[in-house]
Amino acid sequence: MRGGLSRSQFKETSEAIFMNSGFVYDSAEEAAGRFTGENEGYIYSRYANPTLSVFEERMQALEGAGGARGTSSGMAAVNAALMCQLKAGDHVVAPKALFGSCLYIIEEILPRFGVGITLVDGTHLDQWKAAFTPETAAVFLETPSNPTLEIVDIAAVAEMAHAVGAKVIVDNVFATSIFQKPLELGADVVVYSATKHIDGQGRCLGGVILGDEEFIEETLSPYLKHTGPALSPFNAWNLLKGLETLDLRVNRQTDNAEKIAAFLENAKGIQQVIYPGSDSHPQADLARRQMKRGSTLVSFELEGGQDKAFAFLNKLNLIDISNNLGDSKSLITHPTTTTHASVSEDLKRHLGISEGMVRLSVGLEDADDLIADLGEALS
Ligand SMILES: *Cc1c(COP(=O)(O)O)cnc(C)c1O
């Protein structure tokens, strides 16, 4: 609620929005001192801005990190977290089950700059073990994964990565900082699409990167400063407002998700329900060990493939068809024709993203209303 709060001379209750690009100096000497680092103070909003600083300090406190930097989107955060520390000749290991754009960076962009990559089945620790080489500089993973909600054992992967000196980057969007603390499990860097639960109200894009002080100050900050994926102060303010209710929202959304998962497990016409908070999840023990709760996403597979999945989506009245997630409004998507449309058929089959699968991001509506909507569409 109050991390990083720094009120101006007007003593405003809510955080102020410093909607400015630059800053002025009392003298040429003062300006010169800012640039040498002798004088404290802001220089330019691509480097730092007071509203962003409040957001960054609050995220740092929430995550228990040594430092944090905001970015213009979640993808800007993922890209910077990788690019700021990699060089030609390095090697990266990642699971195949990744958010589409994260997979694109790893599979398509990194190799263009001479970075070797190995993709593994994230749930198979023997594949992780076999993938590491002395050149492995970074691991990038997402858990639970999108949309099949697979769980990667962060502590086990971190131990293997650290044995070869590689840094572990965790995309913690699905679990949120409320339910999973990757840094405590051994990860080195955490990234968020703040667009998702942190805003959680459909207003803006944003991202954040967290890690120890040395990584943030020495490795990440110069990269961000000179490449410029800066977060708008207005969006930083939106995200600050989101952080005030993050814990309340994700816990309430998770209450709803638990009820919906239980309803779907007994509903007709459904082949499989995947929810990390359910005993039926194939990795229920691991999920319980590293996550406090199952979080806000439920994936399920309808009998009858794409035709039935489309018919089901089209019959929903309350739940919106949308590929966003983590929102206070419940949103549903058919991954194989939307978020994962560009993934090869082979990989989709391998990952278990079937034509009947849908991914539901559970919102804050009344659980009974949501269950009624799902039940009517199913029947
Ligand atoms: C949405 C998302 C991203 C990308 O975030 P944007 O804010 O849309 O750029 C990255 N990783 C995961 C897991 C996401 O859900």
Side-chain angles (χ1 to χ4, degrees):
M1 285 301 300
R2 286 169 182 265
L5 185 60
S6 159
R7 292 191 168 111
S8 79
Q9 73 274 28
F10 298 116
K11 301 291 176 196
E12 60 283 354
T13 313
S14 171
E15 298 74 9
I17 310 177
F18 288 89
M19 201 68 210
N20 58 303
S21 48
F23 301 83
V24 298
Y25 314 97
D26 289 336
S27 67
E29 289 79 5
E30 165 73 10
R34 292 266 175 102
F35 275 79
T36 60
E38 230 163 282
N39 299 339
E40 288 233 340
Y42 292 96
I43 295 175
Y44 190 51
S45 288
R46 169 152 51 78
Y47 305 178
N49 167 285
T51 310
L52 258 79
S53 298
V54 184
F55 171 62
E56 289 164 350
E57 282 178 42
R58 193 164 299 170
M59 277 304 308
Q60 178 183 337
L62 176 64
E63 197 69 34
R69 285 293 181 275
T71 57
S72 56
S73 71
M75 285 321 304
V78 170
N79 184 63
L82 286 162
M83 292 302 248
C84 76
Q85 57 178 316
L86 293 173
K87 59 179 187 320
D90 282 346
H91 174 246
V92 171
V93 186
K96 292 171 191 153
L98 281 185
F99 184 76
S101 295
C102 299
L103 192 62
Y104 183 86
I105 290 178
I106 289 169
E107 265 197 307
E108 305 290 332
I109 298 180
L110 293 183
R112 295 210 307 254
F113 295 89
V115 174
I117 59 157
T118 303
L119 296 176
V120 299
D121 285 329
T123 59
H124 287 69
L125 288 177
D126 48 339
Q127 288 193 23
W128 280 101
K129 202 174 172 76
F132 287 102
T133 74
E135 281 70 46
T136 308
V139 163
F140 183 90
L141 65 91
E142 182 186 313
T143 177
S145 70
N146 179 31
T148 49
L149 308 179
E150 284 181 3
I151 313 291
V152 178
D153 188 334
I154 298 173
V157 171
E159 204 182 313
M160 291 183 229
H162 293 158
V164 296
K167 291 247 202 244
V168 177
I169 308 166
V170 175
D171 180 338
N172 205 32
V173 163
F174 275 39
T176 81
S177 184
I178 305 301
F179 297 141
Q180 180 167 273
K181 298 284 195 213
L183 298 177
E184 288 174 12
L185 295 164
D188 303 286
V189 178
V190 179
V191 294
Y192 290 100
S193 165
T195 317
K196 310 296 167 54
H197 301 85
I198 293 173
D199 172 42
Q201 289 147 91
R203 298 171 294 197
C204 67
L205 296 176
V208 58
I209 306 167
L210 302 112
D212 65 30
E213 196 181 345
E214 191 192 341
F215 170 78
I216 297 292
E217 298 298 335
E218 308 296 326
T219 308
L220 179 67
S221 281
Y223 183 86
L224 293 178
K225 181 173 162 178
H226 298 297
T227 59
L231 178 62
S232 155
F234 183 72
N235 289 356
W237 179 83
N238 266 325
L239 300 175
L240 275 169
K241 295 293 102 182
L243 279 179
E244 292 183 354
T245 55
L246 178 68
D247 182 89
L248 293 172
R249 283 183 288 107
V250 298
N251 269 295
R252 176 64 179 272
Q253 286 169 246
T254 300
D255 292 344
N256 285 353
E258 286 172 357
K259 288 178 193 163
I260 285 169
F263 164 77
L264 292 171
E265 281 185 359
N266 296 309
K268 273 212 192 85
I270 294 190
Q271 221 159 1
Q272 188 197 5
V273 179
I274 312 173
Y275 181 60
S278 287
D279 290 336
S280 65
H281 191 284
Q283 300 163 286
D285 287 345
L286 175 59
R288 266 192 292 270
R289 212 159 61 231
Q290 70 181 23
M291 296 170 73
K292 282 203 191 103
R293 297 186 72 187
S295 204
T296 66
L297 288 122
V298 183
S299 290
F300 52 101
E301 197 178 339
L302 288 122
E303 287 166 7
Q306 182 171 319
D307 289 350
K308 279 281 155 53
F310 273 29
F312 170 71
L313 259 57
N314 293 339
K315 286 285 181 195
L316 291 165
N317 283 318
L318 179 59
I319 299 168
D320 291 308
I321 302 172
S322 173
N323 47 282
N324 199 4
L325 62 95
D327 202 272
S328 54
K329 293 184 173 64
S330 293
L331 306 175
I332 199 161
T333 193
H334 182 246
T336 188
T337 54
T338 60
T339 54
H340 289 68
S342 65
V343 176
S344 74
E345 291 304 320
D346 269 1
L347 184 54
K348 275 193 274 210
R349 207 168 311 115
H350 184 83
L351 295 174
I353 307 171
S354 68
E355 300 208 321
M357 178 172 279
V358 295
R359 185 199 73 195
L360 173 63
S361 169
V362 181
L364 284 175
E365 301 92 342
D366 188 284
D368 292 338
D369 290 344
L370 292 170
I371 288 171
D373 195 32
L374 292 164
E376 276 164 37
L378 278 173
S379 59

